[in-house]
Amino acid sequence: MWDPGKYLDYADLRARPFYDLVSRIGASAPRRVVDLGCGPGNLTVSLRERWPSATLECSDSSPEMVTAARARGLDAALLDVRDWTPAPDTDVVVSNAVLQWVPDHSSLLRRWAAALPAGAYLAVQVPGNFNAPSHVLTRELAASPAWASRLAEVVLREDDAVSAPQEYANLLADAGCAVDAWETTYVQPLHGPSPVLEWITGTALRPIRAALSDPEWEQFRASLAPRLADAYPARPDGVTWFEFRRVFFVARVSA
């Protein structure tokens, strides 16, 4: 279960990759703009502001997120991204921090590129930090004797959940697209007690939270917190630096 409130913690920092991605889309007057995995809709509304004459389509697989997006006035649909098919007038597709949850999403990208009209833009951002201490420590704790039996069915993202920028560039170039691919590591200043724990609670820890009872969840958090504090020590001024690697690509379908 996604918690829109927790996800919106650090909303400004979480939004930076979205805006960096969308800024590289060159569409001037698209007919239809699609946000796949719109979350609570706080970023989707900026697409409506940029292209006010376009039909705005958005969806998410989380009922909680769809409810939050609809509260912002968006006509959000409850939809698994794997089931989405582009309408004939789709000129811009944005997928921000979604495809890392989809195994073999390369096949989706090929299918979308083949189905989109000539000149359409496909803009994707995925996290590339699954080998960071925050995620490694989480996986190690989940696999420890204290937790392995209770979390045996939980799938946590490994570093191979996403590809390198060049791999995406090759995939979409082979699919007939012009591709702009890159990566960025943001060094995020986090504040407060256990800030890295709070950060990943809204994303990476979601499958663990869903698998545990409330008392078990609090116990897991209490075990993980000191491990994260050792890996991400706070500065004397209270700032905790958190490296936040992202992989981006914008592909334009050739005529």
Side-chain angles (χ1 to χ4, degrees):
M1 179 182 296
W2 282 99
D3 180 347
K6 176 57 67 175
Y7 185 79
L8 288 172
D9 286 350
Y10 302 109
D12 289 346
L13 297 180
R14 291 193 191 279
R16 290 178 64 189
F18 176 89
Y19 290 117
D20 286 350
L21 175 70
V22 172
S23 70
R24 305 288 276 270
I25 299 174
S28 57
R31 294 166 295 175
R32 177 180 297 268
V33 175
V34 180
D35 187 0
L36 297 174
C38 64
N42 58 306
L43 299 176
T44 310
V45 294
S46 70
L47 301 178
R48 183 171 57 192
E49 293 165 358
R50 177 172 174 181
W51 293 296
S53 63
T55 298
L56 181 59
E57 175 186 336
C58 61
S59 59
D60 201 280
S61 63
S62 162
E64 296 80 14
M65 290 296 195
V66 167
T67 297
R70 289 174 177 170
R72 295 178 184 273
L74 296 167
D75 186 19
L78 182 64
L79 181 71
D80 188 312
V81 68
R82 293 169 292 188
D83 297 328
W84 178 77
T85 300
D89 62 346
T90 302
D91 291 328
V92 172
V93 180
V94 177
S95 178
N96 183 61
V98 174
L99 293 185
Q100 73 276 10
W101 297 105
V102 181
D104 190 30
H105 54 262
S106 58
S107 61
L108 272 186
L109 295 171
R110 292 189 190 94
R111 175 159 61 85
W112 293 346
L116 288 167
Y121 287 86
L122 173 59
V124 175
Q125 181 268 127
V126 288
N129 60 339
F130 297 112
N131 208 31
S134 55
H135 291 65
V136 172
L137 291 170
T138 297
R139 292 195 297 267
E140 289 177 351
L141 180 59
S144 69
W147 295 100
S149 61
R150 282 174 282 185
L151 298 175
E153 302 301 319
V154 174
V155 177
L156 298 175
R157 302 297 90 185
E158 300 279 354
D159 203 40
D160 61 359
V162 301
S163 300
Q166 185 171 334
E167 293 177 281
Y168 288 120
N170 281 329
L171 184 155
L172 288 160
D174 290 344
C177 300
V179 188
D180 177 15
W182 71 100
E183 69 175 70
T184 300
T185 297
Y186 302 89
V187 181
Q188 308 280 41
L190 306 185
H191 303 268
S194 301
V196 175
L197 176 62
E198 296 304 325
W199 178 283
I200 66 174
T201 291
T203 52
L205 293 185
R206 184 180 65 88
I208 291 175
R209 177 65 187 97
L212 298 178
S213 66
D214 289 348
E216 289 173 331
W217 168 239
E218 292 306 322
Q219 184 183 354
F220 188 90
R221 279 174 51 94
S223 297
L224 183 58
R227 292 169 167 81
L228 294 175
D230 287 342
Y232 298 94
R235 285 170 41 84
D237 61 4
V239 171
T240 297
W241 297 117
F242 181 66
E243 290 191 351
F244 187 58
R245 177 177 174 262
R246 308 279 104 175
V247 174
F248 303 78
F249 54 93
V250 176
R252 190 177 191 193
V253 179
S254 300

